[in-house]
């Protein structure tokens, strides 16, 4: 009888723990969707400039981009070329900057020697992404490669040294 009581108690406890785990998993998924949903909506059109059907997934633990799906194949970010990783990092920053702006807290996007690993065809697509974001907020690109970035346009700062 004691063993049967213990079995009933342990079964009830196991059922409660199983239910708790399911509720926690659902809450984690809802929080992840709340966090990543807006980012996915913002980054989607920017990613489409690089590849028509590209999508980015984020690691639930680190909250960083971890996989890129394109042309029916999903690849871990670590296996992508330096140029593709660089482009994804910039597009992710642009997506977050757009979210901040929509929330009423615009932040400037500052890129220092960005796109150094990007080929000529993709750099023009990245310029399109930068132009889209720059239409609504400040984007500052610092580079020593003035010829490569000429197509980006924008205002160039002018430094005048005046005698004291």
């Amino acid at each position: 009888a004691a063993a049967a009581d213990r079995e009933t108690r342990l079964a009830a406890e196991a059922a409660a723990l199983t239910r708790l785990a399911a509720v926690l998993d659902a809450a984690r998924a809802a929080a992840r969707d709340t966090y990543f949903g807006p980012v996915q909506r913002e980054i989607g059109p920017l990613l489409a400039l690089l590849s028509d059907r590209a999508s980015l997934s984020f690691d639930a633990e680190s909250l960083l981009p971890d996989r890129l799906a394109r042309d029916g194949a999903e690849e871990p970010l670590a296996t992508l070329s330096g140029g593709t990783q660089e482009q994804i990092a910039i597009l992710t920053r642009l997506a977050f900057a757009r979210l901040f702006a929509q929330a009423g807290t615009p932040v400037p996007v500052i890129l220092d020697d960005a796109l150094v690993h990007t080929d000529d065809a993709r750099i023009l697509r990245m310029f399109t992404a930068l132009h889209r974001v720059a239409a609504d907020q400040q984007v500052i690109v610092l580079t020593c490669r003035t010829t490569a970035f000429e197509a980006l346009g924008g205002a160039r700062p002018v430094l005048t040294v005046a005698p004291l």
Side-chain angles (χ1 to χ4, degrees), residues 58-73:
F58 291 80
D59 179 69
E61 298 299 319
S62 70
L63 304 180
L64 296 172
D66 71 339
R67 301 182 79 70
L68 176 67
R70 58 185 173 174
D71 302 322

Side-chain angles (χ1 to χ4, degrees), residues 5 8 11 21 25 39 45 48 54 65 91 93-94 96 104-105 110 117 142 148 159:
D5 280 348
T8 301
D25 286 343
V39 176
L91 294 178
R93 288 183 184 116
L94 294 174
F96 273 102
T105 312
I110 302 171
H117 301 288
L142 306 170
L159 179 65

Side-chain angles (χ1 to χ4, degrees), residues 1 59 93 115 125 134 137 150:
D59 179 69
R93 288 183 184 116
L115 303 171
R125 293 179 192 157
Q137 61 199 99
E150 233 171 56

Side-chain angles (χ1 to χ4, degrees), residues 115-131:
L115 303 171
V116 296
H117 301 288
T118 300
D119 60 54
D120 292 341
R122 282 204 179 162
I123 202 166
L124 294 176
R125 293 179 192 157
M126 288 299 294
F127 287 170
T128 301
L130 290 169
H131 276 284

Side-chain angles (χ1 to χ4, degrees), residues 77-122:
L77 238 55
T79 64
L80 300 174
S81 70
T84 302
Q85 289 181 27
E86 178 181 60
Q87 293 153 25
I88 289 170
I90 291 169
L91 294 178
T92 302
R93 288 183 184 116
L94 294 174
F96 273 102
R98 289 175 57 98
L99 289 172
F100 274 101
Q102 290 169 10
T105 312
V107 294
V109 177
I110 302 171
L111 303 173
D112 186 11
D113 270 334
L115 303 171
V116 296
H117 301 288
T118 300
D119 60 54
D120 292 341
R122 282 204 179 162

